[in-house]
Amino acid sequence: MMNMPLNLTPPVINPNAEKVLSKRYYRKDENGQCVEDATGLFWRVASSVAAEEAKYEQSPWKPDALARAFYDMMTDWRFLPNSPTLMNAGSELGQLSACFVLPVGDSIEEIFDAVKFAAMIHKSGGGTGFSFSRLRPKNSRVGTTGGVASGPVSFLRIFNTATEQIKQGGTRRGANMGILRIDHPDILEFIRAKEQEGEFNNFNLSVGITEAFMQAVEQDRDYALVNPASGKEQGRLNAREVFNLLVDKAWQSGDPGIIFLDRINRDNPTPAQGEIESTNPCGEQPLLPYEACNLGSLNLSSFFVPGHLDETNPADRGIDWAGIERTIALAVRFLDNVVDASQFPLERIAEQVRRNRKIGLGVMGWADLLYQLRIPYDSADAITLAERIMDFIETRGRAASIQLAAERGPFPAYETSVYPTKGIPPLRNATITTIAPTGTLSILAGCSSGVEPLFALSFARNVMDGERLMEVNPHFEEALREIDCYSQPLLEGVAELGSIQSLDQLPEDLRRVFVTAMDIAPEWHLRMQAAFQRHTDNAVSKTVNLPNSATRDDIFAIYWMAYEEGCKGVTVYRDGSKSTQVLTTSAPA
Ligand code: UDP
């Protein structure tokens, strides 16, 4: 590792972040004592990722200057790489990606290979997605033994149990995505798999929806179930009845979600390498079998400039666009270096990753930026700005990847990818943008997560092992102080309610801007997801929150809207439909 410069500025760390860092991120000795602080951590990450630069002769950067720039961009909370990079960069483990997809073949050997590979990935802090669609259905014959097959849902249980036993490298529990195609004969059992609370607790489940199925729903027709082992039709179901069952289960518990498989494959940049069958656990990263991807997020709220005025376009007021552009270029270089720096648990994964060199640059702090700009999340202005910002990140991110390709060569599969035929010049990375949930990163950066609205203006956060942390949104606090309304009793009242919409004593314009997840109509959640999706190569992590009183028809409408708006999938959550929520206000659900 490069020597740590003596004049590094230590980051300003909020108490929640310090707690998370010392519990999970700082390197520890054999007695569990932390052997680094935040400066040490960010220097370890910055210097080891920058060291990769040395092998590229055409680079305009010297590794030590680059390390310094990486360090500054992380410690100013402008950009953070995904958790495995923070935890493992510069360490012996060296596995830096958050997202993996593994194939599950239709044989005992292949199934248990996938269980083993998943265990190895979980140990290193990555999450795994699987499609179970190739497994023969329950009760089919097993040729070699003459017995009967137990089917995808039964095997899913083995993956779930294995995950339970492996805490991810002592850092976090493994997260999984399980996908089954809508035309698999066991689809009804799969849709009902999480009926009982606690079942498959280490899995998010999503049904892989096809265009053919959606058309059958629209026309109220039957559709064929296909046995993946024989390729033959095995029964028919009424599409609308199946869709209604999906809606019903999502209404009850939020599970399963849906992903639009054909749409994901329409945007597959490397179809010559096969079909995409699954995403990572939180749904934002579709990947080929054995592929992995590392993510990173720009903290949009850190680019707010009070009073900043761009003369040419008043709509640009308040945002340091030049700063975002500089950070994008640096972040893309960082994420591409991570592809080189990362060590993978399987050679096959390393090969697949280095063929396409996918990276996923996204955002966090979006709701905070809207608060800072005093734009309501559920407004046309917010949607317009979302598109404008993500378009900016998409085009500048692509330019940065083109620049890297000129210095280092394009990703090896560029020639057989879709890009040459589209007239897109050589890129270093097959995908560049992804919007991650940023569950932990947003705590570290002290901003709102991903592109989600705030859950509450003041709330208790359930983090790790049942601990609760109290938080008040700083922009809300500032706005209250500006109008002389700040008081402890008021804040306590807000913590109790989560929202300020019923507090008539507060000015109307304040209430209009400081909306929270439950104040926002589901359609606006969806519109926001769609706006970001329009400029994202991969997908957008987003939950459409609905009030407890939402009906099945409301969920049906949201699913349909997600389809029509071009989303790649959708996850809904009806308030109070699970007994343990990640975030809760102190008010009973
Ligand atoms: N992930 C995981 N386990 C977790 C949280 C996340 O495996 O407990 C993986 C998963 O693939 C997820 C991705 O990391 O989709 C990104 O999640 P997030 O942005 O919340 O992670 P962070 O980098 O903030 O920890």
Side-chain angles (χ1 to χ4, degrees):
M1 198 162 49
M2 291 170 214
N3 285 335
M4 188 157 111
L6 295 173
N7 58 352
L8 288 178
T9 314
V12 179
I13 302 199
N14 71 66
N16 292 342
E18 185 57 41
K19 210 163 183 162
V20 172
L21 285 172
S22 56
K23 205 157 180 172
R24 309 258 165 136
Y25 289 68
Y26 293 148
R27 304 218 59 78
K28 302 202 172 64
D29 64 17
E30 59 275 19
N31 303 318
Q33 296 300 311
C34 295
V35 293
E36 66 184 7
D37 58 7
T39 306
L41 179 151
F42 287 112
W43 181 252
R44 166 171 58 75
V45 176
S47 58
S48 62
V49 175
E52 298 297 326
E53 203 70 16
K55 54 180 199 261
Y56 298 116
E57 282 173 12
Q58 306 289 321
S59 174
W61 285 94
K62 292 237 171 358
D64 49 354
L66 187 61
R68 194 60 188 248
F70 285 166
Y71 176 88
D72 289 344
M73 116 176 129
M74 291 188 284
T75 54
D76 289 347
W77 310 114
R78 280 179 283 135
F79 164 86
L80 287 177
N82 57 203
S83 287
T85 302
L86 293 175
M87 291 167 172
N88 303 332
S91 77
E92 211 173 302
L93 186 58
Q95 196 297 102
L96 311 182
S97 293
C99 311
F100 292 78
V101 162
L102 291 170
V104 185
D106 187 35
S107 70
I108 291 296
E109 287 78 1
E110 289 167 290
I111 292 168
F112 281 86
D113 268 351
V115 172
K116 174 182 164 188
F117 299 155
M120 290 158 75
I121 291 167
H122 291 170
K123 237 173 67 173
S124 71
T128 40
F130 316 88
S131 162
F132 291 90
S133 302
R134 293 186 212 187
L135 300 190
R136 72 193 72 183
K138 194 172 181 168
N139 297 330
S140 332
R141 291 202 66 74
V142 177
T144 47
T145 62
V148 290
S150 46
V153 176
S154 148
F155 283 116
L156 195 58
R157 203 174 301 281
I158 296 175
F159 284 79
N160 191 64
T161 308
T163 304
E164 190 70 36
Q165 305 311 320
I166 300 150
K167 295 262 164 127
Q168 295 183 356
T171 52
R172 51 186 182 177
R173 179 181 289 184
N176 297 295
M177 170 65 89
I179 286 177
L180 198 69
R181 283 174 65 95
I182 193 80
D183 53 9
H184 191 284
D186 290 0
I187 193 63
L188 297 179
E189 188 189 3
F190 182 82
I191 294 173
R192 294 196 178 104
K194 289 188 88 163
E195 251 168 10
Q196 269 190 338
E197 199 167 339
E199 278 277 70
F200 301 110
N201 57 329
N202 299 310
F203 267 87
N204 290 325
L205 297 183
S206 276
V207 174
I209 304 265
T210 58
E211 290 292 326
F213 173 78
M214 289 307 275
Q215 281 160 16
V217 174
E218 207 161 8
Q219 296 157 8
D220 197 11
R221 280 193 285 108
D222 285 357
Y223 74 103
L225 300 177
V226 181
N227 183 329
S230 64
K232 293 200 180 117
E233 183 172 323
Q234 185 178 317
R236 297 185 74 80
L237 289 171
N238 177 276
R240 215 168 264 186
E241 279 171 24
V242 175
F243 200 76
N244 284 336
L245 180 68
L246 255 174
V247 164
D248 186 46
K249 294 301 144 197
W251 180 86
Q252 279 171 14
S253 69
D255 275 300
I258 55 179
I259 65 162
F260 296 113
L261 277 180
D262 292 335
R263 204 165 272 176
I264 283 174
N265 278 293
R266 182 198 60 199
D267 291 350
N268 176 1
T270 59
Q273 292 169 43
E275 258 186 55
I276 294 178
E277 300 169 17
S278 182
T279 68
N280 70 327
C282 303
E284 71 277 13
Q285 187 64 50
L287 291 170
L288 292 164
Y290 293 112
E291 202 166 32
C293 183
N294 74 93
L295 312 177
S297 300
L298 302 165
N299 171 8
L300 291 177
S301 100
S302 75
F303 297 100
F304 171 70
V305 194
H308 174 90
L309 194 68
D310 184 317
E311 298 293 342
T312 53
N313 186 351
D316 286 348
R317 199 174 303 183
I319 298 174
D320 175 13
W321 294 94
I324 300 184
E325 183 161 14
R326 278 194 301 276
T327 310
I328 291 170
L330 213 46
V332 168
R333 187 174 292 273
F334 181 105
L335 295 173
D336 188 63
N337 283 12
V338 168
V339 175
D340 290 337
S342 189
Q343 296 165 37
F344 293 100
L346 273 181
E347 192 43 42
R348 193 130 181 215
I349 296 178
E351 283 167 14
Q352 185 59 41
V353 169
R354 300 208 168 109
R355 198 169 291 138
N356 297 330
R357 307 190 63 90
K358 285 182 181 170
I359 58 171
L361 178 65
V363 299
M364 56 184 165
W366 168 237
D368 276 332
L369 177 68
L370 291 174
Y371 284 167
Q372 288 164 301
L373 293 169
R374 303 288 191 265
I375 299 174
Y377 189 98
D378 48 347
S379 69
D381 284 352
I383 301 292
T384 306
L385 186 63
E387 286 219 41
R388 196 171 151 78
I389 288 185
M390 207 55 217
D391 183 15
F392 189 83
I393 296 171
E394 185 185 35
T395 50
R396 303 311 192 274
R398 191 168 275 182
S401 186
I402 290 170
Q403 164 68 26
L404 287 181
E407 289 170 27
R408 314 171 163 190
F411 65 92
Y414 169 79
E415 283 303 331
T416 56
S417 77
V418 298
Y419 295 117
T421 50
K422 286 186 174 173
I424 296 174
L427 290 165
R428 179 67 173 162
N429 315 91
T431 69
I432 297 153
T433 43
T434 302
I435 298 185
T438 71
T440 323
L441 299 188
S442 61
I443 300 177
L444 301 183
C447 65
S448 58
S449 55
V451 295
E452 296 288 3
L454 263 278
F455 187 78
L457 290 165
S458 168
F459 61 89
R461 195 193 280 268
N462 283 336
V463 285
M464 307 178 293
D465 315 330
E467 266 191 65
R468 285 160 73 82
L469 302 172
M470 282 300 291
E471 286 181 32
V472 180
N473 180 266
H475 314 297
F476 176 58
E477 187 175 326
E478 194 186 299
L480 286 178
R481 287 187 195 279
E482 267 170 25
I483 55 168
D484 252 352
C485 279
Y486 182 88
S487 77
Q488 205 53 37
L490 177 81
L491 282 186
E492 277 165 25
V494 175
E496 193 66 23
L497 292 165
S499 159
I500 58 168
Q501 298 309 306
S502 62
L503 298 179
D504 295 342
Q505 71 270 34
L506 292 175
E508 175 62 32
D509 56 346
L510 186 90
R511 282 186 283 155
R512 183 69 193 96
V513 166
F514 287 92
V515 286
T516 56
M518 289 301 166
D519 302 329
I520 296 168
E523 297 74 42
W524 283 108
H525 281 274
L526 208 278
R527 267 182 215 131
M528 191 60 81
Q529 178 181 335
F532 277 102
Q533 181 63 71
R534 282 192 275 280
H535 300 285
T536 302
D537 292 334
N538 294 300
V540 178
S541 170
K542 175 88 187 77
T543 301
V544 174
N545 289 99
L546 295 110
N548 188 262
S549 60
T551 63
R552 290 168 173 82
D553 284 348
D554 294 334
I555 293 189
F556 189 101
I558 285 298
Y559 275 16
W560 206 260
M561 193 173 158
Y563 174 60
E564 290 187 330
E565 287 266 336
C567 295
K568 291 195 174 163
V570 62
T571 305
V572 296
Y573 180 70
R574 188 172 62 91
D575 194 29
S577 62
K578 266 186 201 141
S579 58
T580 318
Q581 292 179 210
V582 177
L583 299 169
T584 52
T585 56
S586 41

